Amino acid sequence: MSNKLIPGCDHSLSEFPRLNGETGDAARIMRAVEACEKGVLYIEKGIYEIDEMLEIKNCCSLMLHKSAVLKAVKEMPFVLWYDAAASYPDLKECDGHLVPSDDHDAEDWNLFITGGFFDGSGLASCICLNSFKHFTMRDISLRNGKKYGLRIEEEGSMWTYELVAYNLYAKCTMPGLAGNAGISSRGGDSHFIDCVVVDYTRGIELLGGGSNRLTRCHVWGGPIPPKNEGELPEMLVDSCNYVLSSYDAILTDCYADTGMTGFLITQRTRMIGCSYFNNYTYKMDDVTVIDHRAGDLMVANCQFRQDSPKATLYKGSEDLKKTVIWRDNWTEKDLIF
């Protein structure tokens, strides 16, 4: 397919075939990326064997066909490592760190990744996004990430903020990946909208920054069967739907579905219109809906349902419990605050 048929793209991957001796697709993708500095690369439908981690540092944005699959075939940290530091103009050193100048008119605020499958195959995490100031992700599947589906602000990154993420679908379909996280962010001022995470031990974790917003996100687990008959599915062991350790997080209409802990809270958090349900089909019992360890907490207009013999609605110290704003919530009769 010619890139001329894809409006807004500078090149398509089909222009960059494998060279003699290349047995994977990482090298040709990187040649295409290098040809699209501060531009847009289109990746057509197909399965692409990623034999070396893709590293984008030149502000190339990616537009993938919905059935374009970037699949790890060797062990590596991530399928894609994206560092947007070059979008900051005239980096300068301050206290031993590189920081951007104040020339805001020269900044690139329009970087994006849209579409496609990023498949870690249990060999790699899927995507790591670093050093950005405003970035858009949309309509992306993150499959079988070894440690992460999406990781935001890995060690060595400059600060990150203003990610707008729509319709991310993170799912594990293979055993042996227990302990991983679907979406893990240390950035701030970001919005996650209509994101779904299935069978990652930790669904969505906000580990730093502040003022993050989650809207209509759904996290659930259990489909990957247990290793041995009678055991709990491996992704449900020590599972947590939402880890909220980011200051002033707001969750609106978010659903914690079948996790050992629904919402683990260590920083100021507001939950509005959220829900928890434990599908006892997977025989997970003695669950906790809200594990409140620190920070102010407001819970309003929420619904919490019980479908297992043992369930704790709220776990927290007596001092913390006195500070919780709790209003207009629906609970099962055995789930009492």
PDB file of all heavy atoms in Angstrom, residues 300-322:
ATOM      1  N   ALA A 300     -18.213   8.463  46.496  1.00  0.00           N
ATOM      2  CA  ALA A 300     -19.557   8.994  46.294  1.00  0.00           C
ATOM      3  C   ALA A 300     -20.236   8.329  45.102  1.00  0.00           C
ATOM      4  O   ALA A 300     -19.608   8.074  44.070  1.00  0.00           O
ATOM      5  CB  ALA A 300     -19.497  10.508  46.063  1.00  0.00           C
ATOM      6  N   ASN A 301     -21.531   8.024  45.279  1.00  0.00           N
ATOM      7  CA  ASN A 301     -22.362   7.480  44.196  1.00  0.00           C
ATOM      8  C   ASN A 301     -21.802   6.187  43.612  1.00  0.00           C
ATOM      9  O   ASN A 301     -21.893   5.939  42.408  1.00  0.00           O
ATOM     10  CB  ASN A 301     -22.543   8.518  43.080  1.00  0.00           C
ATOM     11  CG  ASN A 301     -23.169   9.800  43.585  1.00  0.00           C
ATOM     12  OD1 ASN A 301     -22.471  10.820  43.667  1.00  0.00           O
ATOM     13  ND2 ASN A 301     -24.437   9.783  43.937  1.00  0.00           N
ATOM     14  N   CYS A 302     -21.217   5.365  44.465  1.00  0.00           N
ATOM     15  CA  CYS A 302     -20.606   4.113  44.023  1.00  0.00           C
ATOM     16  C   CYS A 302     -21.509   2.917  44.351  1.00  0.00           C
ATOM     17  O   CYS A 302     -22.436   3.017  45.157  1.00  0.00           O
ATOM     18  CB  CYS A 302     -19.245   3.922  44.686  1.00  0.00           C
ATOM     19  SG  CYS A 302     -18.016   5.184  44.231  1.00  0.00           S
ATOM     20  N   GLN A 303     -21.208   1.773  43.727  1.00  0.00           N
ATOM     21  CA  GLN A 303     -21.936   0.535  44.006  1.00  0.00           C
ATOM     22  C   GLN A 303     -20.942  -0.593  44.220  1.00  0.00           C
ATOM     23  O   GLN A 303     -20.052  -0.809  43.394  1.00  0.00           O
ATOM     24  CB  GLN A 303     -22.882   0.168  42.860  1.00  0.00           C
ATOM     25  CG  GLN A 303     -23.571  -1.180  43.061  1.00  0.00           C
ATOM     26  CD  GLN A 303     -24.573  -1.495  41.983  1.00  0.00           C
ATOM     27  OE1 GLN A 303     -25.685  -1.014  41.996  1.00  0.00           O
ATOM     28  NE2 GLN A 303     -24.166  -2.317  41.020  1.00  0.00           N
ATOM     29  N   PHE A 304     -21.103  -1.323  45.308  1.00  0.00           N
ATOM     30  CA  PHE A 304     -20.195  -2.415  45.649  1.00  0.00           C
ATOM     31  C   PHE A 304     -21.022  -3.673  45.904  1.00  0.00           C
ATOM     32  O   PHE A 304     -21.857  -3.705  46.812  1.00  0.00           O
ATOM     33  CB  PHE A 304     -19.372  -2.052  46.880  1.00  0.00           C
ATOM     34  CG  PHE A 304     -18.624  -0.744  46.736  1.00  0.00           C
ATOM     35  CD1 PHE A 304     -18.898   0.324  47.570  1.00  0.00           C
ATOM     36  CD2 PHE A 304     -17.660  -0.584  45.761  1.00  0.00           C
ATOM     37  CE1 PHE A 304     -18.223   1.529  47.438  1.00  0.00           C
ATOM     38  CE2 PHE A 304     -16.977   0.618  45.611  1.00  0.00           C
ATOM     39  CZ  PHE A 304     -17.261   1.675  46.456  1.00  0.00           C
ATOM     40  N   ARG A 305     -20.782  -4.720  45.109  1.00  0.00           N
ATOM     41  CA  ARG A 305     -21.558  -5.951  45.173  1.00  0.00           C
ATOM     42  C   ARG A 305     -20.716  -7.109  45.685  1.00  0.00           C
ATOM     43  O   ARG A 305     -19.527  -7.192  45.408  1.00  0.00           O
ATOM     44  CB  ARG A 305     -22.109  -6.295  43.785  1.00  0.00           C
ATOM     45  CG  ARG A 305     -23.057  -5.265  43.215  1.00  0.00           C
ATOM     46  CD  ARG A 305     -23.380  -5.573  41.774  1.00  0.00           C
ATOM     47  NE  ARG A 305     -23.953  -6.904  41.638  1.00  0.00           N
ATOM     48  CZ  ARG A 305     -23.971  -7.594  40.496  1.00  0.00           C
ATOM     49  NH1 ARG A 305     -23.408  -7.074  39.407  1.00  0.00           N
ATOM     50  NH2 ARG A 305     -24.514  -8.784  40.430  1.00  0.00           N
ATOM     51  N   GLN A 306     -21.383  -8.014  46.395  1.00  0.00           N
ATOM     52  CA  GLN A 306     -20.709  -9.172  46.966  1.00  0.00           C
ATOM     53  C   GLN A 306     -21.239 -10.439  46.310  1.00  0.00           C
ATOM     54  O   GLN A 306     -22.440 -10.659  46.237  1.00  0.00           O
ATOM     55  CB  GLN A 306     -20.947  -9.248  48.475  1.00  0.00           C
ATOM     56  CG  GLN A 306     -20.269 -10.433  49.148  1.00  0.00           C
ATOM     57  CD  GLN A 306     -20.469 -10.415  50.649  1.00  0.00           C
ATOM     58  OE1 GLN A 306     -20.980  -9.447  51.191  1.00  0.00           O
ATOM     59  NE2 GLN A 306     -20.067 -11.477  51.321  1.00  0.00           N
ATOM     60  N   ASP A 307     -20.337 -11.303  45.848  1.00  0.00           N
ATOM     61  CA  ASP A 307     -20.721 -12.573  45.249  1.00  0.00           C
ATOM     62  C   ASP A 307     -19.831 -13.696  45.784  1.00  0.00           C
ATOM     63  O   ASP A 307     -19.623 -14.700  45.128  1.00  0.00           O
ATOM     64  CB  ASP A 307     -20.625 -12.486  43.714  1.00  0.00           C
ATOM     65  CG  ASP A 307     -21.246 -13.702  43.043  1.00  0.00           C
ATOM     66  OD1 ASP A 307     -22.233 -14.221  43.581  1.00  0.00           O
ATOM     67  OD2 ASP A 307     -20.738 -14.137  42.000  1.00  0.00           O
ATOM     68  N   SER A 308     -19.266 -13.508  46.969  1.00  0.00           N
ATOM     69  CA  SER A 308     -18.407 -14.515  47.589  1.00  0.00           C
ATOM     70  C   SER A 308     -18.725 -14.556  49.082  1.00  0.00           C
ATOM     71  O   SER A 308     -19.239 -13.578  49.639  1.00  0.00           O
ATOM     72  CB  SER A 308     -16.930 -14.179  47.358  1.00  0.00           C
ATOM     73  OG  SER A 308     -16.633 -12.887  47.838  1.00  0.00           O
ATOM     74  N   PRO A 309     -18.419 -15.649  49.759  1.00  0.00           N
ATOM     75  CA  PRO A 309     -18.767 -15.755  51.177  1.00  0.00           C
ATOM     76  C   PRO A 309     -18.139 -14.670  52.048  1.00  0.00           C
ATOM     77  O   PRO A 309     -18.769 -14.174  52.971  1.00  0.00           O
ATOM     78  CB  PRO A 309     -18.246 -17.150  51.556  1.00  0.00           C
ATOM     79  CG  PRO A 309     -18.266 -17.914  50.271  1.00  0.00           C
ATOM     80  CD  PRO A 309     -17.898 -16.919  49.214  1.00  0.00           C
ATOM     81  N   LYS A 310     -16.895 -14.306  51.760  1.00  0.00           N
ATOM     82  CA  LYS A 310     -16.202 -13.340  52.602  1.00  0.00           C
ATOM     83  C   LYS A 310     -15.774 -12.141  51.766  1.00  0.00           C
ATOM     84  O   LYS A 310     -15.148 -12.300  50.719  1.00  0.00           O
ATOM     85  CB  LYS A 310     -14.972 -13.975  53.250  1.00  0.00           C
ATOM     86  CG  LYS A 310     -15.271 -15.120  54.205  1.00  0.00           C
ATOM     87  CD  LYS A 310     -13.976 -15.682  54.781  1.00  0.00           C
ATOM     88  CE  LYS A 310     -14.245 -16.860  55.703  1.00  0.00           C
ATOM     89  NZ  LYS A 310     -12.984 -17.436  56.236  1.00  0.00           N
ATOM     90  N   ALA A 311     -16.115 -10.965  52.262  1.00  0.00           N
ATOM     91  CA  ALA A 311     -15.709  -9.746  51.565  1.00  0.00           C
ATOM     92  C   ALA A 311     -15.662  -8.606  52.564  1.00  0.00           C
ATOM     93  O   ALA A 311     -16.551  -8.459  53.405  1.00  0.00           O
ATOM     94  CB  ALA A 311     -16.675  -9.422  50.425  1.00  0.00           C
ATOM     95  N   THR A 312     -14.613  -7.799  52.470  1.00  0.00           N
ATOM     96  CA  THR A 312     -14.455  -6.624  53.326  1.00  0.00           C
ATOM     97  C   THR A 312     -14.623  -5.381  52.461  1.00  0.00           C
ATOM     98  O   THR A 312     -13.930  -5.226  51.453  1.00  0.00           O
ATOM     99  CB  THR A 312     -13.062  -6.603  53.984  1.00  0.00           C
ATOM    100  OG1 THR A 312     -12.911  -7.773  54.788  1.00  0.00           O
ATOM    101  CG2 THR A 312     -12.888  -5.363  54.847  1.00  0.00           C
ATOM    102  N   LEU A 313     -15.538  -4.525  52.846  1.00  0.00           N
ATOM    103  CA  LEU A 313     -15.760  -3.308  52.062  1.00  0.00           C
ATOM    104  C   LEU A 313     -14.633  -2.311  52.239  1.00  0.00           C
ATOM    105  O   LEU A 313     -14.123  -1.757  51.264  1.00  0.00           O
ATOM    106  CB  LEU A 313     -17.081  -2.668  52.464  1.00  0.00           C
ATOM    107  CG  LEU A 313     -17.411  -1.316  51.823  1.00  0.00           C
ATOM    108  CD1 LEU A 313     -17.406  -1.414  50.305  1.00  0.00           C
ATOM    109  CD2 LEU A 313     -18.752  -0.796  52.320  1.00  0.00           C
ATOM    110  N   TYR A 314     -14.242  -2.070  53.491  1.00  0.00           N
ATOM    111  CA  TYR A 314     -13.235  -1.033  53.770  1.00  0.00           C
ATOM    112  C   TYR A 314     -12.234  -1.563  54.779  1.00  0.00           C
ATOM    113  O   TYR A 314     -12.609  -2.105  55.821  1.00  0.00           O
ATOM    114  CB  TYR A 314     -13.903   0.222  54.319  1.00  0.00           C
ATOM    115  CG  TYR A 314     -12.928   1.313  54.724  1.00  0.00           C
ATOM    116  CD1 TYR A 314     -12.507   2.272  53.812  1.00  0.00           C
ATOM    117  CD2 TYR A 314     -12.424   1.373  56.027  1.00  0.00           C
ATOM    118  CE1 TYR A 314     -11.614   3.268  54.182  1.00  0.00           C
ATOM    119  CE2 TYR A 314     -11.537   2.367  56.407  1.00  0.00           C
ATOM    120  CZ  TYR A 314     -11.130   3.310  55.482  1.00  0.00           C
ATOM    121  OH  TYR A 314     -10.237   4.288  55.852  1.00  0.00           O
ATOM    122  N   LYS A 315     -10.948  -1.408  54.462  1.00  0.00           N
ATOM    123  CA  LYS A 315      -9.867  -1.749  55.384  1.00  0.00           C
ATOM    124  C   LYS A 315      -9.013  -0.501  55.587  1.00  0.00           C
ATOM    125  O   LYS A 315      -8.463   0.051  54.623  1.00  0.00           O
ATOM    126  CB  LYS A 315      -9.014  -2.886  54.821  1.00  0.00           C
ATOM    127  CG  LYS A 315      -7.912  -3.360  55.750  1.00  0.00           C
ATOM    128  CD  LYS A 315      -7.006  -4.376  55.056  1.00  0.00           C
ATOM    129  CE  LYS A 315      -7.754  -5.646  54.715  1.00  0.00           C
ATOM    130  NZ  LYS A 315      -6.858  -6.657  54.092  1.00  0.00           N
ATOM    131  N   GLY A 316      -8.910  -0.044  56.821  1.00  0.00           N
ATOM    132  CA  GLY A 316      -8.117   1.138  57.129  1.00  0.00           C
ATOM    133  C   GLY A 316      -8.128   1.376  58.621  1.00  0.00           C
ATOM    134  O   GLY A 316      -8.971   0.838  59.357  1.00  0.00           O
ATOM    135  N   SER A 317      -7.200   2.189  59.080  1.00  0.00           N
ATOM    136  CA  SER A 317      -7.120   2.476  60.510  1.00  0.00           C
ATOM    137  C   SER A 317      -8.355   3.262  60.950  1.00  0.00           C
ATOM    138  O   SER A 317      -9.047   3.893  60.140  1.00  0.00           O
ATOM    139  CB  SER A 317      -5.853   3.272  60.819  1.00  0.00           C
ATOM    140  OG  SER A 317      -5.954   4.582  60.287  1.00  0.00           O
ATOM    141  N   GLU A 318      -8.612   3.253  62.244  1.00  0.00           N
ATOM    142  CA  GLU A 318      -9.751   4.008  62.769  1.00  0.00           C
ATOM    143  C   GLU A 318      -9.585   5.502  62.505  1.00  0.00           C
ATOM    144  O   GLU A 318     -10.551   6.197  62.211  1.00  0.00           O
ATOM    145  CB  GLU A 318      -9.911   3.748  64.270  1.00  0.00           C
ATOM    146  CG  GLU A 318     -10.454   2.365  64.587  1.00  0.00           C
ATOM    147  CD  GLU A 318     -11.815   2.116  63.957  1.00  0.00           C
ATOM    148  OE1 GLU A 318     -12.671   3.032  64.044  1.00  0.00           O
ATOM    149  OE2 GLU A 318     -12.018   1.044  63.371  1.00  0.00           O
ATOM    150  N   ASP A 319      -8.343   6.002  62.602  1.00  0.00           N
ATOM    151  CA  ASP A 319      -8.113   7.421  62.329  1.00  0.00           C
ATOM    152  C   ASP A 319      -8.416   7.758  60.873  1.00  0.00           C
ATOM    153  O   ASP A 319      -9.024   8.788  60.568  1.00  0.00           O
ATOM    154  CB  ASP A 319      -6.666   7.796  62.674  1.00  0.00           C
ATOM    155  CG  ASP A 319      -6.418   7.835  64.177  1.00  0.00           C
ATOM    156  OD1 ASP A 319      -7.405   7.918  64.935  1.00  0.00           O
ATOM    157  OD2 ASP A 319      -5.237   7.762  64.579  1.00  0.00           O
ATOM    158  N   LEU A 320      -7.970   6.891  59.935  1.00  0.00           N
ATOM    159  CA  LEU A 320      -8.258   7.133  58.526  1.00  0.00           C
ATOM    160  C   LEU A 320      -9.754   7.047  58.244  1.00  0.00           C
ATOM    161  O   LEU A 320     -10.321   7.859  57.499  1.00  0.00           O
ATOM    162  CB  LEU A 320      -7.510   6.126  57.652  1.00  0.00           C
ATOM    163  CG  LEU A 320      -6.054   6.425  57.310  1.00  0.00           C
ATOM    164  CD1 LEU A 320      -5.443   5.269  56.549  1.00  0.00           C
ATOM    165  CD2 LEU A 320      -5.932   7.710  56.487  1.00  0.00           C
ATOM    166  N   LYS A 321     -10.379   6.064  58.835  1.00  0.00           N
ATOM    167  CA  LYS A 321     -11.805   5.849  58.585  1.00  0.00           C
ATOM    168  C   LYS A 321     -12.627   7.089  58.941  1.00  0.00           C
ATOM    169  O   LYS A 321     -13.595   7.429  58.248  1.00  0.00           O
ATOM    170  CB  LYS A 321     -12.281   4.648  59.386  1.00  0.00           C
ATOM    171  CG  LYS A 321     -13.724   4.253  59.137  1.00  0.00           C
ATOM    172  CD  LYS A 321     -14.070   2.986  59.890  1.00  0.00           C
ATOM    173  CE  LYS A 321     -15.516   2.563  59.629  1.00  0.00           C
ATOM    174  NZ  LYS A 321     -15.854   1.306  60.350  1.00  0.00           N
ATOM    175  N   LYS A 322     -12.216   7.798  59.991  1.00  0.00           N
ATOM    176  CA  LYS A 322     -12.950   8.991  60.416  1.00  0.00           C
ATOM    177  C   LYS A 322     -12.850  10.126  59.400  1.00  0.00           C
ATOM    178  O   LYS A 322     -13.688  11.030  59.398  1.00  0.00           O
ATOM    179  CB  LYS A 322     -12.414   9.467  61.771  1.00  0.00           C
ATOM    180  CG  LYS A 322     -12.686   8.501  62.928  1.00  0.00           C
ATOM    181  CD  LYS A 322     -12.018   8.976  64.201  1.00  0.00           C
ATOM    182  CE  LYS A 322     -12.204   7.973  65.331  1.00  0.00           C
ATOM    183  NZ  LYS A 322     -11.488   8.388  66.567  1.00  0.00           N
TER     184      LYS A 322
END
